[in-house]
Amino acid sequence: MKLFIGQAFIVAGSTLLSLLYPLVLYDQTHSTALLGISMMLNELAVGLGSYVWGRIIDRVRERYIFFIILPVSGIGITLLIFDTSLGLVGYALLGFFTALDSPIYSILLLERFSMDKAVVANSMLSQLSLAGNIIGSIMGTFKLKFFTIIIFFTIAAVLNAILIPRYKGDIREDKVERIRDTRRLLKPLISYSIFNLSAEVFYVVYIPLLNLLTLPSWTYFVSYTILYMIDEYIYYISPNLVRDNELYYIFISIALRGFLVALVGYLLFMKINFSFLTVLLFISFGSLYPLYNTALFSLIFKDLKKNRGSILGLFSAGNNLASAMGSYLSGLVNPMSISQAYFFSFFGFSLSFFIMYDYISEKRQRVENKKKVIVSNST
């Protein structure tokens, strides 16, 4: 657990920045297009960073230095956003460097824990990450100055310098196997990306939705704070919950999210003012992700022996590039007709569901064919 403590402070700082900047930007401009573009740039940078950092980690044995680069870069980016006129550039750089978080910590738990314990360790990592999300979102309600964020990143740098072991990891790059794994996981990657594109539409449109329903701005931060607290508990129980039931939780998460976005779209289309009920719908939608994420992690990555950083980075890149597209598409929606965005999101979740179903069907067919070959050879 102590290996991941620094990440909680990294996430707290990055969460405060990532939540505060879009809200301030929208308050100043009231432009859904500019809001979508800013989030798109951030997500594109995360997508690029996820793939780049994953490839770098697979190619080198050094691990320790990456855990120092991550929080130190946060300090510089905070100064860039608050002390210069290059806020959009800083917000994009925030995405690029925070993209290092997922592959480096995932590699750490895969290299320091057995595969049986890796899923539990991943849940612990997610819990500490969510603790950082909670702290960052609570701090966001007070709209604190930049020095608070710098303190978070500084504490993280000190903790990582002390607690992260100075070990050398294995070089796990194998080009032939990486190509084979990428092809094998192409449909789950597409399904996962569309899933996150659809979710990003929901999250981006949440800001103009609150404005349309004339809800106070603190509702935004309170919604995320409550969601992160619930996610903390769900990540705690999810390893045992999803074990041997990965497919069930993957499909039920996609289906329920599709239902919720369709419901919100219908309520808006019928011009029904559901006021603070939107917070409950938001929390219900968001709290499905820990189950989906844990189940997918267990299903997809437990058989990977090599190219872990690359494959993890590829999935993270797919996630963030899709989210960037979701942010861009959300920016094209008229703030007074955002029901269209929710219906589009419903279509995305439906597509994600059937692509994953197609992958599972093909996988089962391959297993059955192998069994038939084994039986025929034995006879």
Side-chain angles (χ1 to χ4, degrees), residues 326-360:
S327 297
Y328 174 74
L329 293 173
S330 301
L332 301 178
V333 175
N334 187 322
M336 303 305 295
S337 303
I338 58 176
S339 61
Q340 301 169 9
Y342 288 101
F343 290 132
F344 174 82
S345 182
F346 169 75
F347 172 77
F349 284 121
S350 300
L351 188 59
S352 174
F353 184 98
F354 287 112
I355 292 175
M356 180 60 75
Y357 180 82
D358 188 46
Y359 165 75
I360 297 301

Side-chain angles (χ1 to χ4, degrees), residues 166-231:
R166 299 192 179 190
Y167 76 100
K168 300 291 184 180
D170 296 330
I171 297 177
R172 295 182 178 273
E173 184 177 47
D174 186 318
K175 184 176 180 180
V176 174
E177 190 169 326
R178 185 181 73 248
I179 294 173
R180 183 170 61 247
D181 286 337
T182 301
R183 289 175 177 172
R184 178 173 59 87
L185 297 173
L186 183 59
K187 287 185 178 179
L189 174 61
I190 294 173
S191 174
Y192 178 70
S193 299
I194 296 175
F195 177 91
N196 285 285
L197 184 154
S198 304
E200 187 67 13
V201 172
F202 180 91
Y203 288 123
V204 173
V205 175
Y206 189 59
I207 295 176
L209 174 63
L210 294 177
N211 186 67
L212 182 66
L213 298 176
T214 65
L215 296 176
S217 61
W218 55 261
T219 307
Y220 176 71
F221 293 103
V222 170
S223 298
Y224 273 98
T225 301
I226 296 174
L227 173 61
Y228 291 145
M229 289 179 176
I230 293 174
D231 281 356

Side-chain angles (χ1 to χ4, degrees), residues 78-79 82 144-154:
T78 303
L79 293 172
F82 283 95
L144 299 177
K145 301 298 182 182
F146 74 94
F147 62 85
T148 305
I149 304 173
I150 289 179
I151 289 173
F152 284 144
F153 285 127
T154 301

Side-chain angles (χ1 to χ4, degrees), residues 4 7 57 67 100-113 118 121-122 125 167 297 301 308-309 312-313 316:
F4 309 134
Q7 198 219 23
I57 292 168
F67 294 98
L100 173 59
D101 183 283
S102 178
I104 191 60
Y105 276 101
S106 295
I107 289 298
L108 178 68
L109 71 87
L110 287 171
E111 290 181 334
R112 305 297 290 188
F113 297 90
N122 182 60
L125 174 62
Y167 76 100
F297 178 88
F301 297 116
R308 290 171 172 175
L312 287 166
S316 295

Side-chain angles (χ1 to χ4, degrees), residues 270-343:
M270 299 301 293
K271 301 188 184 304
I272 299 173
N273 189 335
F274 44 102
S275 189
F276 282 99
L277 179 61
T278 188
V279 176
L280 178 60
L281 293 170
F282 176 86
I283 293 169
S284 300
F285 180 89
S287 61
L288 289 166
Y289 186 75
L291 291 173
Y292 174 82
N293 185 52
T294 304
L296 191 70
F297 178 88
S298 178
L299 180 70
I300 298 298
F301 297 116
K302 62 184 177 183
D303 295 328
L304 288 177
K305 303 302 181 184
K306 296 184 178 181
N307 304 298
R308 290 171 172 175
S310 296
I311 298 299
L312 287 166
L314 184 62
F315 268 75
S316 295
N319 169 14
N320 294 111
L321 290 173
S323 296
M325 181 58 67
S327 297
Y328 174 74
L329 293 173
S330 301
L332 301 178
V333 175
N334 187 322
M336 303 305 295
S337 303
I338 58 176
S339 61
Q340 301 169 9
Y342 288 101
F343 290 132

